[in-house]
Amino acid sequence: MSDFPAFETPRLLLRELVADDAPTLFAIHGDADAMRWYGADPMIDVRQAQKLIEIFAGWRAMPNPGVRWALQSKSTGLLIGTCGLFKWNRGWKTCTVGYELAHTARGAGLMAEALSAALTWGFAYMQLHRIEAQIHPENAASLKLARGLGFVQEGRAREAGFWQGQHHDLLQFGLLRQDWPLA
């Protein structure tokens, strides 16, 4: 993936994260309430956001690259979150999806819009057969989102995650190409 795969949805620009996004990314990832579901401790310094942008950019240089999009609102021009596909196993044609959204952008269907585009791109350009998601069992919004996109719950990984000083169970979801209407 030499060129970044940027594209648009009706309300969003899905584009590359850049250094100027660090303050907004820090605000999203520094929100302890939101990060209780993300799988990482809240950020405490903007330099952590700068490092995360570098990590996401570095995914594209890996032998099995991943991609993380900045979600920019067309109406406001503001960064409202990110979503991406990572842990790409080319041989198995699988990857994992991840995402987060600023509090101010929640409840309007924006992540469903962004993920619909990202999943369609993954099935088409990464030639994926399966996309996985791991979701905290108490993250009602994410569970609703995944199920609404057609992900099927396949099991529970006991204490598979560790963040904010404790182990967390994660629900395993999968979405197959043949179940995705836009593939």
Side-chain angles (χ1 to χ4, degrees):
M1 287 193 258
S2 56
D3 292 321
F4 190 85
F7 46 88
E8 296 184 29
T9 68
R11 297 179 290 169
L12 299 169
L13 298 174
L14 279 73
R15 60 163 176 80
E16 186 171 15
L17 279 161
V18 296
D20 288 346
D21 292 325
T24 305
L25 193 63
F26 170 64
I28 294 168
H29 283 255
D31 179 347
D33 185 52
M35 294 310 289
R36 75 183 189 273
W37 309 126
Y38 188 72
D41 292 339
M43 290 181 180
I44 56 172
D45 188 288
V46 73
R47 288 176 294 203
Q48 291 174 289
Q50 293 164 339
K51 180 67 177 168
L52 187 59
I53 290 169
E54 293 169 14
I55 289 169
F56 289 155
W59 284 358
R60 294 193 314 278
M62 297 172 74
N64 291 317
V67 62
R68 193 77 174 204
W69 289 276
L71 306 180
Q72 181 178 329
S73 167
K74 284 182 174 179
S75 64
T76 66
L78 299 175
L79 176 71
I80 60 165
T82 76
C83 71
L85 302 169
F86 62 103
K87 292 185 182 175
W88 184 14
N89 183 326
R90 287 181 192 242
W92 289 8
K93 300 180 182 179
T94 64
C95 77
T96 301
V97 66
Y99 45 88
E100 79 283 337
L101 200 58
H103 270 299
T104 56
R106 294 184 187 157
L110 292 166
M111 188 56 74
E113 183 176 318
L115 286 178
S116 290
L119 297 172
T120 298
W121 183 87
F123 285 125
Y125 293 98
M126 294 170 74
Q127 299 185 352
L128 296 170
H129 174 72
R130 174 185 170 84
I131 299 175
E132 299 177 348
Q134 289 80 39
I135 303 171
H136 192 284
E138 296 175 19
N139 187 346
S142 191
L143 293 170
K144 180 181 177 184
L145 172 66
R147 290 178 176 130
L149 289 168
F151 281 84
V152 174
Q153 184 177 334
E154 300 170 332
R156 182 184 200 107
R158 297 177 310 131
E159 298 187 2
F162 183 82
W163 65 91
Q164 296 188 0
Q166 62 185 15
H167 294 277
H168 299 271
D169 289 359
L170 295 172
L171 300 179
Q172 176 68 41
F173 285 81
L175 176 67
L176 302 179
R177 171 186 285 249
Q178 65 253 28
D179 297 332
W180 184 245
L182 304 175

